[in-house]
Amino acid sequence: MDLYDPSDLNLTKYLFFTGKGGVGKTSVACATAMNMADRGQKVMLVSTDPASNLQDVFQMELTNKPTPITGIPNLSVANFDPVTAAAEYREGIVGPYRGVLPDSAIENMEEQLSGSCTVEIASFNEFANFLTDQTIEENYDHIIFDTAPTGHTLRMLQLPSAWNDYLDENTTGVSCLGQLSGLGDKKQMYEHAVETLNDGKTTTIVIVSRPQRASLIESKRAYTELEKLNIDHHILIINGILEEADDDVSQEIFHQQQYDLKNIPEILHHLKTFYVPLRPYNVMGVKNIRTLLNQQQPKVAPMPAEKLDFKNLQDIVDDYIKTNKKIIFTMGKGGVGKTAVAIKIAKKFVAAGKKVRLATTDPADHIDLYLPDKTGITVSHIDEQKELADYQNEVISKARKSMDDDNLDYVKEDLRSPCTQEIAVFRAFARIVDQSQDEIVVIDTAPTGHTLLLLESTQNYAHEVQRSSGEVPESIQKLLPRLQDQQQTEVLTVTLPETTPIYESVRLNQDLDRAKIAHTWWLVNQSMYATQTTNDILSVRASEELEWIEKVADISQGNYAVEQWVPDFEQNMVH
């Protein structure tokens, strides 16, 4: 790998930065824009990331209009709020039906349009305007987008069904179908945007990853999705590589990173790959943005950490036992350690003399590796791909009876959405809970509140039942009321002491509030601060975690715990 230096590369006019949440897309995109602008090129930087912190990065107010950055004459930045854009987009679809359709139908439509697909479509709608704006194209040498559309969204936009009357007649259709019903006359603009994405002479997809297995697997998924659309002009940037190790913690991180990099998914091997070293500072302010990609770095002053006493996971489990909880979900975005935490919780319940069932989608061989002693624990492994395939086949077989090929293709694409996968897996979870007697059930990989609300509306709204599998399994009908029973069920919010995971966890909790599902406790997982590292770089980064731990303390009203960082290969072990 070569050190990432934009000045050494002949980068295309359009750059799309994509990658798993929290990998540093915004930091690298900002530093790239700054590097180009400082070399005299006119640059537009656009963010459509719901967790964007561009205002903090540049320390100034930003809007969805190009704003010149003080002190950087060649750089303008636009920061879209996709949540607001999604709300406006949603109301544009639902509004005409208020007072026309029954309240139950309106509520169903609103829930259909509250998911992540709507946010992404609204975001795409915003940056498609930029991508096809002739004035912007002529006035800037480079246009950089922080957060690229997923392959799923692009495939949806390319299907002919997205543009025919079927949309207008089925505004409460499948989970992403309703989202696209507001596209109206934007077909030509979207086609131009997709053509630009497909043009390797003008566009590069920059996949940003951490030197960690989960992040690299997500990079593989993003690459594979886009490759299916013949978008194969990519580069890979590995962000956050630790270059020096001098204490136990830093040595463990160094060896883990090197191991994961040696085992990078094979499909990524042929990509041009670059790296950015781990820096001790947050990428906030013009000075740090400029410094991020420089070979010469300022000297680091170690930050001695004051030992603070936090509650830990055992305190949370003790509370679950005291309040006699029967169903525990670990919830959080990918990469925060949900499976590891679920296993630890199960082991702690067993240690307290409880009978436990652990339901997980983690591969069976991983469970055998990380949980060799299953005494007192019944493991129900769910084959995620099989459950999804079974659900897709069930829906398609019913849809085929009443739809033509174009609309059937649309339904097939919709069934690839994350929400569909959640519903398929959740049906399997429901069966497990329904069959469990006199056990505490710990469930890894929980559905979002949005998915639960979709399932709830399915029970109450006949059209929703008709469009989906045609029936709601009895196990789900029985489970949803149990999930809303705060005496039985709790969701543990698992996060990391970083901006993006905490922002996304807040959104998950808002979904759970709407779904009326209890979520008292937060767990700040993989804390570097709690390790008391003495490594110069890690100690500075550890001290910066305190801001986010305090944020969680405030959000959770003091109901939080902190677990210290452990290597990936030990995460699922009980300590």
Side-chain angles (χ1 to χ4, degrees):
M1 286 187 293
D2 294 324
L3 188 69
Y4 176 58
D5 183 352
S7 61
D8 290 341
L9 304 175
N10 185 24
L11 293 173
T12 53
K13 185 179 185 70
Y14 297 98
L15 299 171
F16 288 83
F17 284 77
T18 188
K20 192 179 181 66
V23 297
K25 293 189 299 293
T26 298
S27 298
V28 178
C30 289
T32 301
M34 177 86 73
N35 181 287
M36 291 174 166
D38 283 344
R39 287 187 283 113
Q41 297 173 317
K42 295 203 68 177
V43 181
M44 169 69 73
L45 173 63
V46 183
S47 177
T48 59
D49 188 345
S52 174
N53 59 345
L54 280 186
Q55 297 194 129
D56 296 326
V57 170
F58 289 103
Q59 297 177 333
M60 61 185 296
E61 288 295 319
L62 298 170
T63 69
N64 63 348
K65 305 297 182 185
T67 301
I69 301 300
T70 305
I72 315 173
N74 296 313
L75 178 61
S76 295
V77 178
N79 189 29
F80 294 122
D81 179 1
V83 175
T84 300
E88 294 172 353
Y89 183 87
R90 181 166 54 245
E91 184 56 29
I93 298 171
V94 177
Y97 295 95
R98 296 189 190 279
V100 177
L101 295 179
D103 289 346
S104 60
I106 296 299
E107 291 172 5
N108 182 267
M109 289 172 67
E110 289 177 333
E111 185 52 46
Q112 288 284 338
L113 292 163
S114 70
S116 60
C117 185
T118 298
V119 174
E120 188 168 336
I121 291 294
S123 297
F124 188 85
N125 193 49
E126 294 280 8
F127 79 61
N129 282 314
F130 262 77
L131 202 57
T132 57
D133 188 306
Q134 193 69 29
T135 302
I136 290 174
E137 182 179 350
E138 293 172 354
N139 289 341
Y140 292 93
D141 299 309
H142 293 280
I143 301 167
I144 298 174
F145 291 96
D146 172 24
T147 302
T150 65
H152 167 64
T153 295
L154 294 174
R155 285 195 306 272
M156 294 288 285
L157 293 168
Q158 289 180 321
L159 286 168
S161 302
W163 309 105
N164 66 20
D165 293 339
Y166 181 71
L167 284 170
D168 297 328
E169 296 168 4
N170 292 273
T171 54
T172 58
V174 282
S175 61
C176 280
L177 187 60
Q179 280 81 337
L180 292 177
S181 60
L183 296 181
D185 59 359
K186 294 183 172 62
K187 181 178 181 181
Q188 187 173 359
M189 181 181 76
Y190 276 38
E191 285 179 342
H192 184 181
V194 172
E195 285 172 4
T196 302
L197 282 167
N198 276 278
D199 186 353
K201 295 179 180 179
T202 60
T203 298
T204 301
I205 307 296
V206 183
I207 301 175
V208 183
S209 178
R210 292 285 188 187
Q212 296 166 341
R213 179 176 176 272
S215 183
L216 291 165
I217 290 173
E218 184 69 20
S219 298
K220 171 189 172 183
R221 183 179 296 117
Y223 173 76
T224 303
E225 284 276 287
L226 293 169
E227 191 181 43
K228 291 176 182 176
L229 295 166
N230 297 317
I231 300 175
D232 56 2
H233 30 281
H234 305 76
I235 63 172
L236 176 64
I237 296 177
I238 310 294
N239 183 38
I241 291 183
L242 182 65
E243 296 182 298
E244 295 181 1
D246 55 13
D247 71 349
D248 290 343
V249 175
S250 59
Q251 286 174 10
E252 286 182 330
I253 290 176
F254 179 84
H255 291 308
Q256 177 190 300
Q257 287 188 352
Q258 292 303 310
Y259 177 83
D260 288 342
L261 289 172
K262 287 178 182 176
N263 291 277
I264 192 170
E266 186 174 349
I267 197 171
L268 299 177
H269 282 175
H270 71 280
L271 294 182
K272 289 183 180 179
T273 303
F274 305 89
Y275 77 95
V276 177
L278 183 68
R279 306 302 191 194
Y281 46 80
N282 276 328
V283 188
M284 299 294 175
V286 170
K287 180 181 177 181
N288 283 354
I289 299 170
R290 275 202 172 100
T291 305
L292 178 64
L293 301 181
N294 290 349
Q295 292 193 35
Q296 290 293 107
Q297 291 288 311
K299 289 186 177 180
V300 176
M303 301 284 290
E306 177 188 356
K307 181 67 174 178
L308 298 178
D309 291 326
F310 298 112
K311 293 177 182 177
N312 57 34
L313 186 59
Q314 184 64 57
D315 294 305
I316 295 177
V317 173
D318 289 344
D319 183 69
Y320 289 157
I321 293 172
K322 178 182 176 181
T323 54
N324 199 30
K325 294 298 185 294
K326 298 297 184 185
I327 303 172
I328 309 294
F329 285 98
T330 55
M331 178 175 282
K333 303 303 287 187
V336 299
K338 295 187 298 294
T339 300
V341 171
I343 291 174
K344 289 181 182 180
I345 290 173
K347 293 291 286 185
K348 291 180 184 299
F349 273 128
V350 170
K354 304 295 182 180
K355 188 177 178 182
V356 180
R357 179 175 295 272
L358 174 65
T360 181
T361 59
D362 203 43
D365 55 347
H366 291 179
I367 295 296
D368 291 339
L369 176 63
Y370 298 129
L371 190 63
D373 180 10
K374 299 183 179 65
T375 304
I377 299 177
T378 302
V379 178
S380 293
H381 172 70
I382 295 169
D383 186 332
E384 198 165 1
Q385 294 307 311
K386 181 180 183 301
E387 293 294 337
L388 177 59
D390 289 347
Y391 181 71
Q392 289 171 329
N393 291 335
E394 185 178 335
V395 175
I396 290 169
S397 65
K398 290 186 171 75
R400 185 173 282 117
K401 298 175 182 177
S402 59
M403 293 183 178
D404 60 29
D405 289 343
D406 275 353
N407 290 329
L408 190 62
D409 283 344
Y410 198 97
V411 172
K412 287 178 180 177
E413 179 53 45
D414 180 79
L415 288 169
R416 300 184 192 184
S417 73
C419 184
T420 300
Q421 185 157 323
E422 283 186 3
I423 290 175
V425 172
F426 188 59
R427 297 202 318 172
F429 281 138
R431 291 196 302 269
I432 290 169
V433 174
D434 190 42
Q435 295 166 1
S436 299
Q437 301 294 328
D438 302 321
E439 294 175 313
I440 294 174
V441 183
V442 180
I443 300 177
D444 168 39
T445 310
T448 64
H450 167 64
T451 300
L452 295 175
L453 283 167
L454 281 177
L455 289 166
E456 183 179 49
S457 67
T458 298
Q459 297 180 83
N460 301 325
Y461 189 47
H463 290 299
E464 170 69 12
V465 177
Q466 185 177 2
R467 75 89 184 159
S468 63
S469 62
E471 60 182 18
V472 182
E474 184 181 357
S475 57
I476 288 182
Q477 294 184 46
K478 292 167 61 177
L479 179 58
L480 284 171
R482 289 185 67 185
L483 296 184
Q484 293 177 325
D485 182 354
Q486 298 186 12
Q487 303 301 313
Q488 297 187 63
T489 301
E490 271 279 357
V491 170
L492 173 61
T493 303
V494 184
T495 191
L496 301 177
E498 301 171 10
T499 311
T500 301
I502 288 176
Y503 177 92
E504 292 176 337
S505 295
V506 169
R507 291 187 64 192
L508 286 172
N509 275 240
Q510 290 169 346
D511 276 347
L512 291 172
D513 285 339
R514 292 188 301 120
K516 298 182 177 61
I517 296 175
H519 51 94
T520 303
W521 286 94
W522 285 60
L523 180 70
V524 179
N525 200 28
Q526 293 293 82
S527 168
M528 189 59 60
Y529 182 89
T531 68
Q532 297 291 289
T533 178
T534 58
N535 177 269
D536 287 355
I537 289 178
L538 296 182
S539 66
V540 175
R541 295 188 66 86
S543 68
E544 292 174 348
E545 291 182 359
L546 283 178
E547 174 188 355
W548 301 109
I549 293 174
E550 290 170 0
K551 179 78 169 175
V552 170
D554 181 57
I555 295 170
S556 67
Q557 299 181 323
N559 295 307
Y560 73 101
V562 178
E563 287 286 288
Q564 75 174 47
W565 177 89
V566 294
D568 280 354
F569 59 82
E570 294 179 7
Q571 268 198 75
N572 291 14
M573 304 295 284
V574 176
H575 299 281

